PDB file of all heavy atoms in Angstrom:
ATOM      1  N   TRP A   3      12.573 -18.152   8.289  1.00 97.00           N
ATOM      2  CA  TRP A   3      13.029 -17.037   9.118  1.00 97.00           C
ATOM      3  C   TRP A   3      11.917 -16.667  10.109  1.00 97.00           C
ATOM      4  O   TRP A   3      10.760 -16.805   9.838  1.00 97.00           O
ATOM      5  CB  TRP A   3      13.323 -15.825   8.301  1.00 97.00           C
ATOM      6  CG  TRP A   3      14.503 -15.862   7.398  1.00 97.00           C
ATOM      7  CD1 TRP A   3      15.616 -16.651   7.513  1.00 97.00           C
ATOM      8  CD2 TRP A   3      14.693 -15.140   6.217  1.00 97.00           C
ATOM      9  NE1 TRP A   3      16.491 -16.412   6.499  1.00 97.00           N
ATOM     10  CE2 TRP A   3      15.944 -15.467   5.692  1.00 97.00           C
ATOM     11  CE3 TRP A   3      13.950 -14.144   5.523  1.00 97.00           C
ATOM     12  CZ2 TRP A   3      16.442 -14.901   4.512  1.00 97.00           C
ATOM     13  CZ3 TRP A   3      14.460 -13.597   4.383  1.00 97.00           C
ATOM     14  CH2 TRP A   3      15.705 -13.946   3.876  1.00 97.00           C
ATOM     15  N   VAL A  11      17.487  -8.895   6.797  1.00 95.00           N
ATOM     16  CA  VAL A  11      17.817  -9.175   5.414  1.00 95.00           C
ATOM     17  C   VAL A  11      17.145  -8.151   4.482  1.00 95.00           C
ATOM     18  O   VAL A  11      17.770  -7.699   3.525  1.00 95.00           O
ATOM     19  CB  VAL A  11      17.430 -10.600   5.035  1.00 95.00           C
ATOM     20  CG1 VAL A  11      17.602 -10.846   3.547  1.00 95.00           C
ATOM     21  CG2 VAL A  11      18.285 -11.622   5.826  1.00 95.00           C
ATOM     22  N   LEU A  14      14.836  -3.507   6.788  1.00 94.00           N
ATOM     23  CA  LEU A  14      13.714  -2.829   7.396  1.00 94.00           C
ATOM     24  C   LEU A  14      13.785  -2.974   8.913  1.00 94.00           C
ATOM     25  O   LEU A  14      14.407  -3.875   9.439  1.00 94.00           O
ATOM     26  CB  LEU A  14      12.387  -3.407   6.907  1.00 94.00           C
ATOM     27  CG  LEU A  14      12.103  -3.352   5.415  1.00 94.00           C
ATOM     28  CD1 LEU A  14      10.871  -4.178   5.081  1.00 94.00           C
ATOM     29  CD2 LEU A  14      11.931  -1.931   4.959  1.00 94.00           C
ATOM     30  N   THR A  24       1.248  -6.863   7.226  1.00 95.00           N
ATOM     31  CA  THR A  24      -0.142  -6.553   7.347  1.00 95.00           C
ATOM     32  C   THR A  24      -0.741  -6.093   6.043  1.00 95.00           C
ATOM     33  O   THR A  24      -1.765  -6.601   5.596  1.00 95.00           O
ATOM     34  CB  THR A  24      -0.380  -5.450   8.421  1.00 95.00           C
ATOM     35  OG1 THR A  24       0.152  -5.918   9.662  1.00 95.00           O
ATOM     36  CG2 THR A  24      -1.830  -5.122   8.601  1.00 95.00           C
ATOM     37  N   LYS A  34      -2.865 -18.846   1.183  1.00 96.00           N
ATOM     38  CA  LYS A  34      -3.336 -18.380  -0.131  1.00 96.00           C
ATOM     39  C   LYS A  34      -2.201 -18.481  -1.150  1.00 96.00           C
ATOM     40  O   LYS A  34      -2.168 -17.762  -2.176  1.00 96.00           O
ATOM     41  CB  LYS A  34      -3.825 -16.936  -0.044  1.00 96.00           C
ATOM     42  CG  LYS A  34      -5.038 -16.824   0.873  1.00 96.00           C
ATOM     43  CD  LYS A  34      -5.502 -15.395   1.010  1.00 96.00           C
ATOM     44  CE  LYS A  34      -6.653 -15.344   2.004  1.00 96.00           C
ATOM     45  NZ  LYS A  34      -6.976 -13.992   2.402  1.00 96.00           N
ATOM     46  N   PRO A  41       0.588 -15.965  12.349  1.00 93.00           N
ATOM     47  CA  PRO A  41       0.326 -16.614  13.652  1.00 93.00           C
ATOM     48  C   PRO A  41      -1.115 -16.549  14.083  1.00 93.00           C
ATOM     49  O   PRO A  41      -1.843 -15.634  13.727  1.00 93.00           O
ATOM     50  CB  PRO A  41       1.236 -15.776  14.584  1.00 93.00           C
ATOM     51  CG  PRO A  41       1.330 -14.432  13.972  1.00 93.00           C
ATOM     52  CD  PRO A  41       1.306 -14.682  12.487  1.00 93.00           C
ATOM     53  N   TYR A  47       5.089 -15.684  13.594  1.00 96.00           N
ATOM     54  CA  TYR A  47       5.264 -15.596  12.131  1.00 96.00           C
ATOM     55  C   TYR A  47       6.405 -16.535  11.717  1.00 96.00           C
ATOM     56  O   TYR A  47       7.414 -16.624  12.392  1.00 96.00           O
ATOM     57  CB  TYR A  47       5.701 -14.197  11.690  1.00 96.00           C
ATOM     58  CG  TYR A  47       4.572 -13.174  11.687  1.00 96.00           C
ATOM     59  CD1 TYR A  47       4.351 -12.369  12.790  1.00 96.00           C
ATOM     60  CD2 TYR A  47       3.785 -12.996  10.561  1.00 96.00           C
ATOM     61  CE1 TYR A  47       3.340 -11.408  12.768  1.00 96.00           C
ATOM     62  CE2 TYR A  47       2.775 -12.034  10.544  1.00 96.00           C
ATOM     63  CZ  TYR A  47       2.564 -11.266  11.638  1.00 96.00           C
ATOM     64  OH  TYR A  47       1.573 -10.317  11.638  1.00 96.00           O
ATOM     65  N   ARG A  48       6.270 -17.166  10.572  1.00 97.00           N
ATOM     66  CA  ARG A  48       7.307 -17.950   9.962  1.00 97.00           C
ATOM     67  C   ARG A  48       7.350 -17.528   8.491  1.00 97.00           C
ATOM     68  O   ARG A  48       6.303 -17.462   7.855  1.00 97.00           O
ATOM     69  CB  ARG A  48       7.055 -19.436  10.049  1.00 97.00           C
ATOM     70  CG  ARG A  48       7.002 -19.958  11.447  1.00 97.00           C
ATOM     71  CD  ARG A  48       8.400 -20.002  12.050  1.00 97.00           C
ATOM     72  NE  ARG A  48       8.382 -20.607  13.378  1.00 97.00           N
ATOM     73  CZ  ARG A  48       8.804 -20.015  14.450  1.00 97.00           C
ATOM     74  NH1 ARG A  48       9.318 -18.802  14.387  1.00 97.00           N
ATOM     75  NH2 ARG A  48       8.762 -20.623  15.601  1.00 97.00           N
ATOM     76  N   PHE A  54      10.001 -14.990   0.159  1.00 97.00           N
ATOM     77  CA  PHE A  54       9.944 -13.606   0.641  1.00 97.00           C
ATOM     78  C   PHE A  54      10.912 -12.718  -0.102  1.00 97.00           C
ATOM     79  O   PHE A  54      10.539 -11.601  -0.487  1.00 97.00           O
ATOM     80  CB  PHE A  54      10.236 -13.590   2.137  1.00 97.00           C
ATOM     81  CG  PHE A  54      10.049 -12.251   2.763  1.00 97.00           C
ATOM     82  CD1 PHE A  54       8.764 -11.749   2.894  1.00 97.00           C
ATOM     83  CD2 PHE A  54      11.093 -11.482   3.194  1.00 97.00           C
ATOM     84  CE1 PHE A  54       8.537 -10.513   3.450  1.00 97.00           C
ATOM     85  CE2 PHE A  54      10.909 -10.260   3.764  1.00 97.00           C
ATOM     86  CZ  PHE A  54       9.613  -9.761   3.902  1.00 97.00           C
ATOM     87  N   MET A  58       9.824  -9.431  -2.202  1.00 96.00           N
ATOM     88  CA  MET A  58      10.480  -8.127  -1.961  1.00 96.00           C
ATOM     89  C   MET A  58      11.028  -7.535  -3.277  1.00 96.00           C
ATOM     90  O   MET A  58      10.842  -6.362  -3.566  1.00 96.00           O
ATOM     91  CB  MET A  58      11.570  -8.219  -0.920  1.00 96.00           C
ATOM     92  CG  MET A  58      11.124  -8.520   0.476  1.00 96.00           C
ATOM     93  SD  MET A  58      10.182  -7.216   1.263  1.00 96.00           S
ATOM     94  CE  MET A  58      11.493  -5.994   1.459  1.00 96.00           C
ATOM     95  N   VAL A  69       5.890   1.599   3.460  1.00 87.00           N
ATOM     96  CA  VAL A  69       6.742   1.861   4.609  1.00 87.00           C
ATOM     97  C   VAL A  69       6.865   3.354   4.848  1.00 87.00           C
ATOM     98  O   VAL A  69       6.932   3.781   6.020  1.00 87.00           O
ATOM     99  CB  VAL A  69       8.151   1.217   4.389  1.00 87.00           C
ATOM    100  CG1 VAL A  69       9.148   1.693   5.413  1.00 87.00           C
ATOM    101  CG2 VAL A  69       8.030  -0.307   4.389  1.00 87.00           C
TER     102      VAL A  69
END
Side-chain angles (χ1 to χ4, degrees):
W3 292 334
V11 172
L14 300 171
T24 301
K34 297 177 183 169
Y47 284 93
R48 297 287 185 238
F54 188 69
M58 293 291 291
V69 168

